[in-house]
Amino acid sequence: MSTILVVGTYAIDFVGKYPRPFSTLPEPKALNLSIQLSGLRKGFGGCAMNIAVTLHRLGHHAIPFADVGSAMDADYARHLIDVGLDQRGLRQTSENALSAHALILTDPEENQFTAFYAGEPKTNFRADLEALMDSLAEPIEFVVIAPIEPQYMIPAANACRDRGLSFLCDPGQCTTAFTPDDCDALVEASSVMCFNRFEHEIFENHVKDLDQRLDLTIVTQGSDGVRFKSNGLWHRERAAQPRQRIDPTGCGDAFRSGLVHAHLLNASWQDAVRAGCVLATINLEHVGTQSHDPKDFRVRYVDEWNDCPEWLENTV
């Protein structure tokens, strides 16, 4: 299978459940609001890690590039050993530095509010990324630039472009940190980008002719499916149907994993989008972002789309 570099974050997640829809909350006159949660759990997260773990379980050689703070969380370290993930790209930072942390609040309608601490500033980011690229004996077939602040995402995209590496950019939940100039710079360096509806609207407001400047634009829409623009035309695909709805956290990362997995097996973009929808659904059926096992991915794909394309024979 392919060697895939995944640039982004490692994070400790704290996921809280709010028992009622967020829409029932009163509208405060000022931004001072306290809510009571019905549950809270610690999880393994960070978009680079979520994507890399899923790609690894799909049979690829996935290498995440991310900071883990001054020391990796002991529970997370044991988890990664169990998974068998290549950890050469995980960097330790200065003494007593916290890793990235995410506080994710979810309501029964699968709406989420996320507060994310990205950790300390990442010194020598591009130089360290390029050093990792140079140290790998095997060629890098693809790079996923997962959500991370613009001061790191843009240099990562430029490094990939300068080296002629194929890559996907996904600004994700970091989109609100992008200025108009940041948005333009990332689009200038990229040819394939993935957004959700909200993120796409922000980039559209900041970048003139956004979709004309990209070779492929993918816009996920939750239960409404996916829109994607390829070869100058917009297409739509429905969402896959879950067997149960447990936890939406990490569904976007699972979608990107399925998309890249199928693309690297020479699937059409429509089939790659369908693969992403299936992986997102499998993730939705489990608690957390790294607890799902895609061992039945092939069966789920065939059952969902009533189709077994040739590339699917080469998957798990």
Side-chain angles (χ1 to χ4, degrees), residues 5-304:
L5 185 60
V6 188
V7 181
T9 57
Y10 154 106
I12 303 298
D13 289 346
F14 289 94
V15 183
K17 292 178 64 176
Y18 185 68
R20 295 178 296 280
F22 290 145
S23 59
T24 64
L25 287 167
E27 294 188 16
K29 294 182 179 179
L31 291 178
N32 296 304
L33 182 65
S34 175
I35 63 174
Q36 287 69 48
L37 302 177
S38 59
L40 183 68
R41 62 173 177 80
K42 175 185 174 183
F44 308 129
C47 293
M49 305 302 293
N50 297 339
I51 294 169
V53 166
T54 299
L55 287 170
H56 171 81
R57 287 173 170 158
L58 285 164
H60 299 279
H61 179 201
I63 306 173
F65 178 77
D67 287 358
V68 301
S70 58
M72 188 182 296
D73 176 83
D75 294 331
Y76 212 144
R78 285 190 291 270
H79 166 66
L80 293 181
I81 291 172
D82 290 342
V83 170
L85 191 69
D86 189 329
Q87 299 183 40
R88 283 179 290 173
L90 299 184
R91 311 187 308 165
Q92 290 189 344
T93 52
S94 59
E95 187 177 357
N96 298 321
L98 280 174
S99 70
H101 279 64
L103 175 61
I104 305 165
L105 306 182
T106 304
D107 73 3
E109 296 179 345
E110 298 178 3
N111 297 305
Q112 291 191 315
F113 183 88
T114 301
F116 188 74
Y117 169 66
E120 288 193 342
K122 299 163 181 45
T123 57
N124 303 316
F125 178 85
R126 177 165 177 172
D128 287 351
L129 174 60
E130 292 182 322
L132 175 64
M133 292 173 172
D134 292 338
S135 71
L136 300 177
E138 62 274 28
I140 299 170
E141 187 164 347
F142 200 80
V143 182
V144 179
I145 305 178
I148 193 171
E149 297 97 321
Q151 63 265 36
Y152 310 118
M153 187 170 238
I154 295 167
N158 285 326
C160 292
R161 182 189 60 183
D162 293 348
R163 288 165 177 258
L165 295 172
S166 298
F167 64 99
L168 162 72
C169 263
D170 170 20
Q173 62 263 42
C174 292
T175 299
T176 53
F178 278 71
T179 67
D181 287 344
D182 290 335
C183 292
D184 190 78
L186 187 62
V187 172
E188 180 65 25
S190 305
S191 60
V192 179
M193 293 188 69
C194 192
F195 311 89
N196 67 20
R197 274 182 289 213
F198 171 69
E199 297 151 5
H200 186 246
E201 288 174 3
I202 290 177
F203 267 75
E204 274 190 318
N205 289 335
H206 291 332
V207 179
K208 184 178 180 181
D209 299 325
L210 168 65
D211 300 319
Q212 285 70 40
R213 292 173 61 181
L214 296 169
D215 293 337
L216 176 68
T217 306
I218 300 169
V219 185
T220 61
Q221 301 176 296
S223 60
D224 292 331
V226 181
R227 294 193 305 130
F228 63 101
K229 183 174 182 288
S230 177
N231 297 321
L233 298 174
W234 280 100
H235 309 270
R236 288 185 178 272
E237 189 54 79
R238 65 171 176 82
Q241 302 305 306
R243 295 171 178 172
Q244 54 185 343
R245 309 182 76 92
I246 300 297
D247 182 5
T249 311
C251 285
D253 294 334
F255 173 85
R256 276 70 166 172
S257 301
L259 179 87
V260 171
H261 171 64
H263 171 62
L264 292 178
L265 292 175
N266 298 314
S268 68
W269 282 119
Q270 181 185 32
D271 282 0
V273 166
R274 288 180 167 186
C277 291
V278 170
L279 259 297
T281 297
I282 293 173
N283 182 91
L284 179 62
E285 296 166 354
H286 295 79
V287 174
T289 60
Q290 297 178 27
S291 63
H292 58 283
D293 187 342
K295 62 180 181 298
D296 61 345
F297 166 73
R298 181 192 294 137
V299 172
R300 293 289 296 271
Y301 186 99
V302 172
D303 288 348
E304 184 68 41

